[in-house]
Amino acid sequence: MKNFYLDNDNLQQQGECALPLKPTANTDLILKTIMDHFAFHDAPVDVKEMAESMEFYLRTRKRLMGMAKKRIMKNARSGNGDEDSICTKCEVNEKIVQVFDMCSGHGLTGMLFAACNPPKATQNNRTLVVETHLVDVVEPLSHVVLRELIADVCPWIKDNVYFHACRLEELITTNDRSTDVSIECSNENDSDTAVVAGSCPIVIATHACGKLTDQVLHQAVDMNACAIAAMPCCYTGTDKGVSYGIRRALGVAWAADIRRTQFLDDNKYHVDYATIPLEITPLNRIIMAEERL
């Protein structure tokens, strides 16, 4: 992260004096403190990836978290969110929003959701907890370093971030919209595979290469995710199944994302698009899907 933060005097002071933030800290302060802390400790993430993760979070957070809260309210009204059975893993006074960062790499994007959404009291004296579940083939060493650095300033993430080392096709999910969601990895090397039933799952993916984005979207539907945000990349060959006229007129990337949009629409999601700044990456389109309530 060389040259990431240019105010060396303030950076030195911040690095020496930084204290853990309080859960009441606002998003801007949390993100700035994480950025400064990463820069001071020369964290193993480059500027482009840092910018992608932060911009992705900022462009999607309101809609994703908003849909999770709507799901909680809907469950409460319908009786599916019974306070004594909201989940089997947590205390009965908690409600869980789970963010699944698929093809997560070092997992920074997913961890920002846990960092920027500290546990907070809701109505009826319940606590809303945001957990992050990172899914990738292997857990990179950089993930451990980044997680520890974020925990320095956002200690509430220590018990709310989990890494699942397995392939997407090894995920086992239920697909019944009338019951609680359950997901686990079939990989025996994953020591913490059980995921909470009765939560509100959100699925995100930043630059899952090629057809991996399609796998992510299918997994999200199988998990009955309340909201999905995927920023695709490596579009070669992903436009198969789209009519020739659309492919010729709009190109491979739009043809692929139109097909993905139709898939989500067919599975009862409202689909829209967002973008992060083009200066960060030319592959900046985000597919946003929200369940139709």
Side-chain angles (χ1 to χ4, degrees):
M1 286 187 63
K2 304 298 184 184
N3 302 322
F4 187 80
Y5 196 99
L6 302 179
D7 191 344
N8 292 327
D9 292 336
N10 288 341
L11 179 58
Q12 181 70 17
Q13 182 180 8
Q14 186 275 338
E16 292 176 348
C17 304
L19 296 174
L21 294 172
K22 296 181 179 180
T24 54
N26 62 43
T27 298
D28 289 344
L29 178 59
I30 291 173
L31 291 178
K32 184 180 186 303
T33 304
I34 291 173
M35 178 181 69
D36 290 351
H37 200 55
F38 277 15
F40 183 80
H41 291 279
D42 197 17
V45 58
D46 62 37
V47 176
K48 177 179 179 291
E49 290 178 326
M50 184 76 182
E52 284 177 352
S53 293
M54 287 197 168
E55 288 291 342
F56 183 94
Y57 174 73
L58 290 171
R59 306 296 168 121
T60 64
R61 56 176 177 149
K62 290 184 178 179
R63 295 174 74 170
L64 296 179
M65 294 303 299
M67 284 306 303
K69 292 173 183 177
K70 288 180 181 179
R71 168 79 70 86
I72 290 175
M73 294 175 62
K74 177 184 176 183
N75 288 345
R77 288 195 300 267
S78 65
N80 294 332
D82 180 74
E83 302 295 352
D84 293 328
S85 61
I86 187 66
C87 68
T88 57
K89 180 181 176 182
C90 58
E91 298 296 329
V92 295
N93 66 336
E94 292 183 352
K95 291 188 176 181
I96 302 293
V97 174
Q98 290 183 293
V99 178
F100 294 89
D101 187 354
M102 304 293 194
C103 305
S104 62
H106 47 57
L108 176 58
T109 309
M111 287 190 289
L112 290 180
F113 279 84
C116 293
N117 294 279
K120 63 176 61 176
T122 61
Q123 294 180 353
N124 301 322
N125 295 321
R126 302 299 176 187
T127 301
L128 181 66
V129 177
V130 176
E131 287 185 352
T132 291
H133 293 265
L134 309 171
V135 180
D136 212 326
V137 177
V138 295
E139 179 180 352
L141 294 177
S142 57
H143 163 68
V144 177
V145 177
L146 297 183
R147 183 177 60 195
E148 291 179 351
L149 288 175
I150 295 175
D152 288 343
V153 294
C154 302
W156 52 86
I157 78 159
K158 292 180 180 178
D159 298 323
N160 294 328
V161 173
Y162 305 88
F163 201 103
H164 305 281
C166 63
R167 299 179 182 276
L168 288 178
E169 57 267 25
E170 293 174 329
L171 290 175
I172 303 172
T173 62
T174 62
N175 184 19
D176 186 346
R177 291 178 181 266
S178 65
T179 63
D180 292 338
V181 172
S182 180
I183 174 175
E184 61 182 13
C185 289
S186 60
N187 187 343
E188 294 181 356
N189 294 325
D190 187 0
S191 60
D192 187 12
T193 58
V195 177
V196 177
S199 68
C200 295
I202 293 169
V203 172
I204 64 172
T206 54
H207 288 169
C209 292
K211 294 182 179 180
L212 284 177
T213 292
D214 296 295
Q215 292 185 43
V216 168
L217 298 182
H218 279 80
Q219 285 289 349
V221 170
D222 287 346
M223 292 165 57
N224 190 20
C226 63
I228 306 163
M231 186 164 65
C233 72
C234 304
Y235 281 95
T236 303
T238 59
D239 60 340
K240 293 181 179 179
V242 181
S243 65
Y244 171 75
I246 293 177
R247 285 185 283 139
R248 184 176 64 84
L250 300 180
V252 172
W254 265 117
D257 287 344
I258 288 172
R259 176 181 55 76
R260 291 161 173 162
T261 298
Q262 189 61 56
F263 166 75
L264 292 169
D265 186 77
D266 290 343
N267 283 279
K268 299 180 171 41
Y269 286 90
H270 169 75
V271 186
D272 198 2
Y273 302 102
T275 59
I276 68 172
L278 192 62
E279 293 81 3
I280 297 175
T281 175
L283 298 169
N284 66 337
R285 182 163 57 248
I286 304 172
I287 302 172
M288 296 285 300
E290 302 160 275
E291 69 173 339
R292 296 196 193 111
L293 296 177

